[in-house]
Amino acid sequence: AQKITQTQPGMFVQEKEAVTLDCTYDTSDQSYGLFWYKQPSSGEMIFLIYQGSYDEQNATEGRYSLNFQKARKSANLVISASQLGDSAMYFCAMRRPISSGSARQLTFGSGTQLTVLP
Amino acid sequence: DAGVTQSPTHLIKTRGQQVTLRCSPKSGHDTVSWYQQALGQGPQFIFQYYEEEERQRGNFPDRFSGHQFPNYSSELNVNALLLGDSALYLCASSGRDSSRETQYFGPGTRLLVL
């Protein structure tokens, strides 16, 4: 079974500063996908960034980057130059390998509430 | 390019009633997944539909059922509602021709069971 652990229920960061949100995972699969989503208070889950387990480089998408350490089974999200609009709940999620056939669902962590201070 | 849409946005029901939630996937996507998100928790996978069939199911009772139509839209039905079914119900769509199969979510339906 897959498990995602997010140990930071809440985080605060000053506007324009960088922040790291932690995510560790547990899986016996060699191939898997890792995702980060942002959920504002409105409820919609917004896709931010993807990292494949065999990707050699850490994923980056604009101000978002993923610090992927496969041996430690961690996939931390780094947000650079925080903005007030970044205040939201952030979820780390995992998907089993495509080759596993039917198991395409996402397994989510419990989330981290990020608050950006002016 | 329209994203994932869901209806209704909010719903209030009483215990024992039945509810139907609807989802239209993002253009070009053929797979729809449903998730339940209780307050303060991460989403939990309910089931996934592809080619009008349920392909994968999470740990949810048979009171939860679904359907996918030929145009790839989907419905989630919940029978005999319980207070514990109060949650945000999220629909996500993805394309199986993508190596990542990134799931894109709709705005959700907030269900309150009284």
Side-chain angles (χ1 to χ4, degrees):
Chain A
Q2 297 73 46
K3 184 177 181 181
I4 297 284
T5 301
Q6 294 181 254
T7 58
Q8 305 156 314
M11 288 280 287
F12 292 88
V13 64
Q14 209 69 36
E15 193 178 8
K16 300 181 185 178
E17 297 291 316
V19 63
T20 297
L21 306 183
D22 294 341
C23 171
T24 58
Y25 58 90
D26 188 21
T27 181
S28 57
D29 294 316
Q30 295 302 307
S31 172
Y32 45 87
L34 295 161
F35 301 80
W36 276 91
Y37 287 87
K38 171 185 178 182
Q39 187 177 42
S41 56
S42 60
E44 182 173 356
M45 299 282 281
I46 302 168
F47 166 68
L48 296 178
I49 196 167
Y50 166 85
Q51 179 83 42
S53 59
Y54 287 123
D55 293 342
E56 293 186 354
Q57 300 212 348
N58 288 341
T60 61
E61 290 285 350
R63 294 187 298 111
Y64 305 107
S65 61
L66 204 151
N67 183 2
F68 180 49
Q69 298 185 44
K70 192 171 181 177
R72 299 180 62 181
K73 293 189 175 180
S74 75
N76 299 337
L77 177 71
V78 180
I79 304 174
S80 63
S82 296
Q83 302 172 357
L84 295 178
D86 293 335
S87 293
M89 196 74 164
Y90 288 80
F91 289 96
C92 180
M94 169 186 287
R95 191 208 58 233
R96 293 190 66 199
I98 301 296
S99 59
S100 64
S102 61
R104 283 175 157 83
Q105 72 267 29
L106 292 174
T107 300
F108 285 85
S110 55
T112 295
Q113 179 67 48
L114 177 67
T115 302
V116 180
L117 303 172
Chain B
D1 179 24
V4 179
T5 60
Q6 291 186 244
S7 64
T9 56
H10 296 80
L11 206 52
I12 300 175
K13 292 286 188 179
T14 56
R15 282 177 297 174
Q17 285 190 311
Q18 178 263 345
V19 67
T20 297
L21 311 181
R22 296 176 175 82
C23 171
S24 290
K26 186 178 169 70
S27 178
H29 285 179
D30 56 8
T31 302
V32 173
S33 303
W34 287 92
Y35 294 82
Q36 180 196 66
Q37 186 177 20
L39 196 62
Q41 298 181 21
Q44 298 292 315
F45 175 75
I46 302 175
F47 43 53
Q48 183 179 88
Y49 277 84
Y50 172 66
E51 292 186 337
E52 302 180 49
E53 290 187 11
E54 183 183 294
R55 294 290 178 160
Q56 184 75 15
R57 189 178 184 90
N59 189 25
F60 279 81
D62 292 344
R63 298 187 297 109
F64 290 78
S65 63
H67 189 76
Q68 185 179 36
F69 299 94
N71 67 351
Y72 307 121
S73 67
S74 176
E75 288 182 349
L76 163 66
N77 301 291
V78 187
N79 294 321
L81 284 167
L82 304 174
L83 296 180
D85 295 331
S86 296
L88 177 66
Y89 288 84
L90 294 163
C91 167
S93 75
S94 55
R96 288 207 167 201
D97 60 349
S98 163
S99 61
R100 297 181 175 185
E101 288 197 19
T102 298
Q103 294 189 17
Y104 293 88
F105 285 79
T109 295
R110 293 188 187 273
L111 172 65
L112 177 61
V113 182
L114 301 176

